[in-house]
Amino acid sequence: STPVFDFNPSGNVIDLDPYFPSLLACAPRITEELTFYGLRMSAAHLSTLIIVGRHCQRIGFQNCSIDTEQELDFGHHLDDATFSILDGSFTGGLFNSNWKGEPQKLRNILQGLGKVQAVKNNLKRIILSYGGLDKEEIEQLVSSCGLEGVEVVKEEMGQW
């Protein structure tokens, strides 16, 4: 197995579609950290990547643009999830997912995760750059989505 996978195709946010089949093929072999950087993805892409990375210690979607107009529904696909860290650094900013202007997009991710008992049992830390939301707002949102006790950590690079 491969312990770490960091997919960073370029400095710009690009569409995930051309890479998706290849990423799905290699992701199940990753055991420690599965990180995607600078990708434009749908809610279905995000859900699928979380599902295939569910046995990693850390799943990252950094500087991504994620369209989550609907609450994520994992069904029973995360019943055996063991990841303890979810890293969304720089994904909530104005030019990516815009969680300040559209906080429901973040809520849709968190509510979907908060409905899965294995996630509630194992997720210990969520790393975010707040994209205009302050730490207290994010902590309240995380807690209200069923993820009480999960530590919210602000990505410290720059001021948000």
Side-chain angles (χ1 to χ4, degrees), residues 56-146:
C56 294
Q57 295 173 16
R58 179 185 187 125
I59 302 174
F61 300 94
Q62 301 174 354
N63 196 39
C64 290
S65 178
I66 305 171
D67 179 16
T68 50
E69 297 298 326
Q70 303 293 324
E71 181 179 313
L72 300 185
D73 181 3
F74 296 101
H76 293 284
H77 297 291
L78 292 181
D79 287 352
D80 60 347
T82 58
F83 62 92
S84 61
I85 300 172
L86 186 66
D87 185 352
S89 300
F90 308 109
T91 292
L94 177 63
F95 298 109
N96 287 335
S97 299
N98 188 22
W99 292 337
K100 172 75 172 175
E102 300 178 77
Q104 188 62 32
K105 289 182 175 183
L106 177 58
R107 178 181 297 280
N108 287 338
I109 297 169
L110 297 173
Q111 282 181 324
L113 291 169
K115 290 182 176 179
V116 180
Q117 191 61 48
V119 174
K120 293 169 75 165
N121 291 345
N122 293 301
L123 185 61
K124 304 298 181 218
R125 179 178 297 148
I126 295 176
I127 303 169
L128 299 170
S129 53
Y130 301 137
L133 297 172
D134 62 37
K135 185 174 182 180
E136 292 75 26
E137 289 175 290
I138 298 293
E139 288 173 335
Q140 185 176 41
L141 183 59
V142 167
S143 182
S144 72
C145 291

